[in-house]
Amino acid sequence: RNPGRKPLDDRAVLNGILVVLGRRIGFEKLPQELEYGSGMTCWRRLRDWQRAGIWPDIARVLREEIPEARRIDFDRVIDTGEAKAEDGETRVARRPRSTTLIRQPSPVAMEFGFTALRKSR
């Protein structure tokens, strides 16, 4: 009777993943106003696709088909053998590889004019 919330469309979640990778932001910085789901939803779906072994194929097709694919950091989430957990499972980076702390709204939010996301001091 109550099956729960329906999963988000794969295409919308894939767009969210591409925004995160293209803008080099953390999944937690993905603005929900873009309606691609939450960053955690995108991260989980990416993790599931990696576990199923289909993410490398998806990334390969996207690299070939997207004109601006050079802006997308696919290497951040492609298993290179370094990011294996103790049980041999692939780990997905939630944040970009950076040592600097971002203290501004995400570049995506700024680009789309969502300055209300800025934390007031």
Side-chain angles (χ1 to χ4, degrees):
R1 284 179 38 163
N2 298 318
R5 188 178 294 188
K6 292 183 181 181
L8 288 172
D9 178 52
D10 284 338
R11 185 176 297 240
V13 175
L14 178 60
N15 284 331
I17 293 168
L18 293 177
V19 167
V20 167
L21 298 178
R23 300 293 177 202
R24 301 176 196 276
I25 61 174
F27 281 87
E28 71 277 3
K29 297 278 187 179
L30 179 68
Q32 289 192 8
E33 292 86 354
L34 298 177
E35 298 184 2
Y36 295 143
S38 71
M40 185 54 72
T41 297
C42 294
W43 178 83
R44 284 187 187 124
R45 191 78 54 95
L46 173 63
R47 180 200 60 199
D48 294 344
W49 289 339
Q50 283 189 330
R51 285 180 179 170
I54 61 172
W55 177 251
D57 294 332
I58 294 171
R60 180 184 48 77
V61 169
L62 292 171
R63 278 188 180 126
E64 294 170 0
E65 299 294 327
I66 296 177
E68 294 292 322
R70 70 185 188 297
R71 292 181 51 196
I72 300 172
D73 185 13
F74 287 106
D75 293 333
R76 176 174 153 201
V77 292
I78 296 292
D79 177 29
T80 61
E82 303 169 0
K84 292 276 186 180
E86 292 176 11
D87 58 2
E89 187 174 296
T90 301
R91 291 195 178 165
V92 179
R94 292 186 191 181
R95 294 188 176 102
R97 294 179 197 143
S98 173
T99 57
T100 60
L101 180 63
I102 301 171
R103 296 184 185 265
Q104 302 172 356
S106 74
V108 177
M110 294 297 289
E111 181 176 329
F112 288 94
F114 293 115
T115 56
L117 298 175
R118 177 171 286 160
K119 291 181 180 179
S120 60
R121 293 187 179 221

